[in-house]
Amino acid sequence: MTDRSNGYDLIADRFLATRSDIGVEVVRDWARALPLGSSILDIGCGSGWPVATTLAEAGHRLAGIDPSPTLLAAFRRAVPDADTAFEAAEDSRFFGRRFDGAVAVGLLFLLPEAAQAAQAAQAALIARVGRALHPGGGFLFTAPRIAATWRDMLTGRVSRSLGEGAYRALLAGAGFHPPRIIADTGGNDWFTAVAGSTDRA
Ligand SMILES: C[S@@+](CC[C@H](N)C(=O)[O-])C[C@H]1O[C@@H](n2cnc3c(N)ncnc32)[C@H](O)[C@@H]1O
């Protein structure tokens, strides 16, 4: 079977052992700003700790998608009430639904290694999230605000951040209001954007 997890299923045990809770305060603040009981899609949800568990503790309803069977099994244990799909972000059926919020933590820059394909895949994902959110819905994702290419420490695969300017342009094109960018205590950048009020095709 083809691995669609960009190498993550293979190193899932090491990822589980080393995932830290740095940045959880950003997730908690974002969760507090949403109405209680909001539906949130966690794209590339991993094990669910600490992002989805924090959102669930804040009183929200989770749906998680991830193409790593090992990490999705851990997610199901961590957030047993969540809807889940063993699918990739590129073609998950969950994008046929509408949500109040979406998170993509540690995902965008993993999408295909080749530069052009990475740009296209990240653009397509941001557009897909824009269509899946109710007007006023929130999108929270991580990516370095400086455009950069590096090797993922666990998988050894190439990761690419398109950089703040490109993410701002893609978010605007997908109907989002200008994002805020927050740096967490570990120096990771979090983009938070609100979907516009007009319906998009
Ligand atoms: C760095 S981990 C982050 C996991 C989780 N969001 C967290 O914050 O702990 C990246 C996750 O993205 C998932 N992933 C990789 N490629 C994906 C894809 N094409 N669609 C959806 N998820 C993907 C991996 O399986 C892994 O769970």
Side-chain angles (χ1 to χ4, degrees):
M1 200 171 62
T2 320
D3 169 37
R4 302 197 67 199
S5 73
N6 289 289
Y8 264 77
D9 194 56
L10 208 58
I11 53 80
D13 289 341
R14 271 198 293 148
F15 177 68
L16 289 171
T18 55
R19 178 71 170 95
S20 87
D21 65 355
I22 288 173
V24 76
E25 71 283 357
V26 180
V27 178
R28 202 171 284 128
D29 289 348
W30 183 81
R32 278 200 202 108
L34 294 172
L36 197 67
S38 289
S39 56
I40 301 177
L41 178 61
D42 189 343
I43 311 159
C45 59
S47 73
W49 184 84
V51 176
T53 50
T54 298
L55 295 169
E57 278 160 25
H60 302 310
R61 293 172 291 128
L62 270 297
I65 63 176
D66 203 292
S68 157
T70 311
L71 291 171
L72 194 65
F75 181 91
R76 287 174 174 147
R77 288 191 296 275
V79 196
D81 293 337
D83 272 353
T84 55
F86 171 50
E87 290 173 342
E90 288 86 340
D91 47 25
S92 172
R93 65 200 150 92
F94 279 9
F95 284 105
R97 299 195 199 168
R98 283 253 174 137
F99 296 89
D100 303 312
V103 294
V105 179
L107 174 67
L108 262 86
F109 42 79
L110 294 183
L111 297 177
E113 290 184 289
Q116 266 189 333
Q119 163 89 33
Q122 295 190 48
L125 180 56
I126 289 172
R128 209 171 293 128
V129 173
R131 289 192 293 272
L133 290 178
H134 291 296
F139 182 26
L140 178 70
F141 68 91
T142 55
R145 65 193 300 173
I146 307 293
T149 300
W150 69 98
R151 287 216 175 256
D152 184 290
M153 272 174 38
L154 293 174
T155 66
R157 291 169 58 96
V158 173
S159 290
R160 285 179 200 279
S161 167
L162 305 181
E164 176 179 345
Y167 290 124
R168 282 186 181 277
L170 293 174
L171 287 165
F176 286 95
H177 295 294
R180 274 197 319 131
I181 305 171
I182 304 156
D184 68 23
T185 53
N188 308 295
D189 296 322
W190 297 71
F191 288 70
T192 156
V194 173
S197 56
T198 51
D199 275 347
R200 293 165 301 282

